[in-house]
Amino acid sequence: MSNFSYLPHTEEEIKEMLKTIGVDSLEELYKDVPQLYKEELNIPKSKSEIEVKREIKEMASLNADISEYGMFRGAGVYNHYIPSLVPQIAGKRSFLTAYTPYQAEVSQGTLQMMFEFQTMIAELTGMEVSNASMYDGASAMAEAILMSARVNKKNKTLIAETIHPEYMEVAKTYVEPQGFSIETIKHTDSGKIDINDLKSKLNDDINSVIIGYPNFYGVIENIKKIKEILPQKVMLIVVANPMALGILEAPGKLGADIVVGDGQPLGNPMAFGGPSFGFFAVNKKDVRKMPGRIIGETVDEDGKRAFAMILQTREQHIRRAKATSNICSNHAHNTLLASIYMTIMGKEGFSEVSEQNYHKAHYLAKKLIETEKFEMAFSGEFFNEFVVKSKIPVDELNKKLFEEKMIGPLHLTKFYKEKENYALFCATELTTKEDIDYLVSFVEGLI
C-alpha cells in the first residue's frame, strides 16, 4: 500500500508506472518543477481581517480598469456596454441553480431560460434550431466540422484563411487526430475569400466550407455568392459575430447550413478573455447530428406548459462512439447573461448598437487615413474592425498609446509573421467620438 492513505495507488503500481515511462523515481518525474519547498515558504505573517482587507484594496488599486481607457482593440473579445439590469437579474438566487438540469421537475426556471436562449439565437442567425450553447466560438466551429462529417461522410474541410487564427488552431486540434484534414482558402485584396481558389479546391472529399461573417479582418463575406457555387452536399459553416447580425442579413437566410460563433458580445464581460459561450444553430433536417443539448417545450400531466431536455446525445448518456460530441457542454450562466441582454435590448435596441459599431468604426478608419500615416489593407466592406498598414511601427505606437491610457490595435504579427506593421483596429458603441479624435490628434503628433 501507499504511505498515504488518501492515495489509491500501491507502491508496486507506482514502481510499475515509473518503469513503463522510463524514470527511476517520483522525484525524477517532477524534476522540471521548481524546488519550491526546499526552504521556508515566502508567506507573510498572519494579520487581522482589517489589515488584510486594507492591503488587498491597495493591491487591487494597482490594476488598470478598462473603463478608464480608450479601447481600439477587438480581435475576438469586444468592449460592449452591459446594461446594469443584466448582472442584477442574473444574480438572482432563482437563476443560480444546479449546473445541469437533469431533473426537469425541479429545474423549470433553468430549462425555460435555455429554451428562450435557443429561440433568440435561432431568430438572430436565421436558422431553425439552436442548441443550449457550447464552450466558446472556437470549439463550436470545430464541432461544426465534425457534424458536417457525420452528415455527408466526407473527411476534408476548406477554411477561409481569414478565420480567426486561434479558431483555426482549435479546429486542427479537434479534427486532425480523428483523421480529418483541413485546407485553407486564400483571400484577395478585398479581404474576402478568393472564389476561384475555392472552386479549384472543391472535390468529392469536402464535407464543409467555413467562412467568417465578418471575418478576422472585419471584412463582410458574400454568403449567398459562396453558397451558390458549393455542391449540394457540401455544408456551408458561417462563423458569425452576433453583434453584426443586428445590421447584416441573417446567415440562415443567405444559405448557411450551420451558424456558430462566440457569444461574448451579448452581455458578457471581457473578463480577461473568458469565460464566454459558443452558439450553434442548424436547420431541422440536421438536428439529430447537432452536438450539445437541446431544450424543448412540452406540457406536464396537468396540461401546463413545461420544459425538458429533448436531445442530449452526449457521452454521459449513450455509448461514446455514438455521441455527437464527447467534450461539449453548455455554459448556462453565460447564456443567461446573453438572454437577459437580448431581452433588454430588444430588436430595435440591438440594431441600434450594431449600427453604432458600424458607423464608429468607419469614422475611425476615415480619420486614421486622413493622417496619411495609415492606409487601408483591404478594400472590402467591414463591420466594426478593419486592418490598416501603418507607417508608424505598431509596437511603438501601442506603447505610446498605452501611456496615454489608450489600448491600441492588434499587431497582426502576433499571428502572421509576414504582416509587420499591419494593425487590426476596432470600435464599438463604447468608443466615443472624443476617444477617436484624441487618438487621431495624438497620432498626428508622432514622427
Side-chain angles (χ1 to χ4, degrees):
M1 293 294 293
S2 167
N3 293 329
F4 303 98
S5 59
Y6 49 80
L7 295 180
H9 307 294
T10 65
E11 291 295 333
E12 290 72 21
E13 288 172 335
I14 293 173
K15 288 179 182 178
E16 183 180 352
M17 177 195 72
L18 294 174
K19 182 179 178 181
T20 300
I21 62 178
V23 296
D24 295 326
S25 65
L26 290 174
E27 287 73 20
E28 184 181 352
L29 178 63
Y30 294 111
K31 66 180 180 181
D32 293 328
V33 179
Q35 302 296 303
L36 296 176
Y37 307 115
K38 292 294 184 182
E39 301 176 3
E40 184 177 348
L41 296 179
N42 182 26
I43 298 177
K45 294 180 179 180
S46 62
K47 296 181 179 180
S48 70
E49 181 178 332
I50 296 173
E51 291 173 310
V52 171
K53 189 173 183 179
R54 183 183 299 124
E55 188 168 329
I56 290 176
K57 286 188 69 174
E58 289 175 357
M59 292 170 63
S61 67
L62 299 176
N63 290 330
D65 189 327
I66 191 65
S67 64
E68 300 171 358
Y69 284 71
M71 171 62 80
F72 296 97
R73 186 175 304 184
V77 179
Y78 302 94
N79 186 33
H80 292 293
Y81 181 72
I82 301 174
S84 57
L85 271 176
V86 174
Q88 182 180 5
I89 296 175
K92 292 176 69 67
R93 290 175 60 189
S94 54
F95 286 119
L96 298 177
T97 57
Y99 153 69
T100 300
Y102 285 131
Q103 290 179 274
E105 66 274 16
V106 294
S107 305
Q108 285 299 294
T110 300
L111 290 167
Q112 181 173 0
M113 181 278 292
M114 291 180 178
F115 181 82
E116 302 293 353
F117 165 78
Q118 291 172 180
T119 302
M120 286 186 277
I121 291 297
E123 290 181 356
L124 191 62
T125 59
M127 305 300 284
E128 294 174 340
V129 184
S130 164
N131 71 11
S133 82
M134 309 190 76
Y135 284 127
D136 56 19
S139 59
M141 187 187 89
E143 290 283 0
I145 296 173
L146 298 180
M147 176 181 161
S148 297
R150 289 192 295 273
V151 171
N152 56 34
K153 312 301 181 185
K154 305 297 182 180
N155 62 5
K156 188 173 184 179
T157 298
L158 301 178
I159 305 182
E161 62 182 3
T162 52
I163 284 291
H164 197 304
E166 291 174 348
Y167 282 39
M168 187 78 77
E169 289 300 312
V170 170
K172 291 178 180 178
T173 301
Y174 257 74
V175 307
E176 289 182 348
Q178 300 188 54
F180 299 104
S181 61
I182 289 174
E183 187 173 358
T184 57
I185 310 166
K186 296 177 181 178
H187 67 276
T188 65
D189 292 341
S190 68
K192 300 180 181 181
I193 67 168
D194 187 330
I195 295 295
N196 292 327
D197 188 53
L198 170 60
K199 288 179 179 179
S200 70
K201 291 173 179 175
L202 288 172
N203 56 52
D204 292 338
D205 294 328
I206 305 301
N207 62 45
S208 57
V209 170
I210 302 179
I211 61 172
Y213 188 66
N215 62 33
F216 183 60
Y217 299 144
V219 176
I220 303 167
E221 297 280 5
N222 189 330
I223 296 176
K224 188 175 182 180
K225 182 178 180 181
I226 294 168
K227 179 63 177 179
E228 287 173 351
I229 70 171
L230 298 184
Q232 186 175 0
K233 291 186 177 181
V234 175
M235 302 192 79
L236 178 59
I237 300 170
V238 175
V239 181
N241 177 347
M243 190 56 71
L245 301 184
I247 192 172
L248 301 180
E249 182 65 277
K253 294 182 179 180
L254 297 173
D257 296 294
I258 304 175
V259 181
V260 298
D262 197 288
Q264 182 272 325
L266 304 176
N268 279 248
M270 299 178 76
F272 299 99
S276 178
F277 69 90
F279 59 88
F280 197 115
V282 302
N283 289 316
K284 287 181 181 178
K285 64 183 178 66
D286 298 316
V287 67
R288 290 193 174 274
K289 303 293 185 181
M290 181 168 62
R293 58 168 59 108
I294 304 173
I295 311 306
E297 182 180 6
T298 183
V299 294
D300 63 16
E301 62 180 9
D302 297 322
K304 296 179 180 178
R305 187 187 192 207
F307 302 90
M309 285 194 285
I310 56 172
L311 287 176
Q312 46 180 329
T313 46
R314 300 165 68 207
E315 80 286 357
Q316 299 103 313
H317 311 111
I318 62 175
R319 285 180 295 170
R320 186 175 179 85
K322 294 287 186 179
T324 52
S325 175
N326 291 308
I327 62 174
C328 76
S329 184
N330 76 287
H331 276 194
H333 185 68
N334 298 92
T335 59
L336 171 63
L337 296 173
S339 300
I340 297 169
Y341 175 83
M342 288 187 283
T343 302
I344 291 172
M345 299 303 293
K347 291 184 179 180
E348 291 185 6
F350 197 91
S351 294
E352 182 182 336
V353 172
S354 297
E355 288 178 7
Q356 285 198 35
N357 278 250
Y358 177 88
H359 290 298
K360 289 186 176 183
H362 283 73
Y363 178 74
L364 171 61
K366 176 177 178 291
K367 289 296 182 179
L368 287 174
I369 299 307
E370 287 176 356
T371 68
E372 299 184 352
K373 295 184 178 181
F374 304 92
E375 60 179 280
M376 294 296 291
F378 303 109
S379 60
E381 188 57 90
F382 59 91
F383 175 56
N384 70 343
E385 292 179 279
F386 56 91
V387 179
V388 294
K389 298 178 185 177
S390 175
K391 297 178 182 178
I392 307 168
V394 176
D395 288 339
E396 179 183 331
L397 172 64
N398 279 336
K399 183 178 179 180
K400 292 182 180 297
L401 288 175
F402 193 74
E403 292 172 354
E404 296 294 316
K405 287 207 165 189
M406 289 183 281
I407 297 176
L410 175 71
H411 193 180
L412 289 185
T413 53
K414 175 178 173 63
F415 297 114
Y416 313 101
K417 292 182 179 179
E418 72 278 9
K419 293 197 182 305
E420 182 70 32
N421 292 325
Y422 280 70
L424 179 64
F425 275 90
C426 178
T428 71
E429 75 279 11
L430 286 179
T431 309
T432 66
K433 182 177 182 296
E434 290 75 19
D435 286 337
I436 295 173
D437 291 343
Y438 183 76
L439 168 73
V440 171
S441 64
F442 181 77
V443 166
E444 287 177 330
L446 296 176
I447 298 175

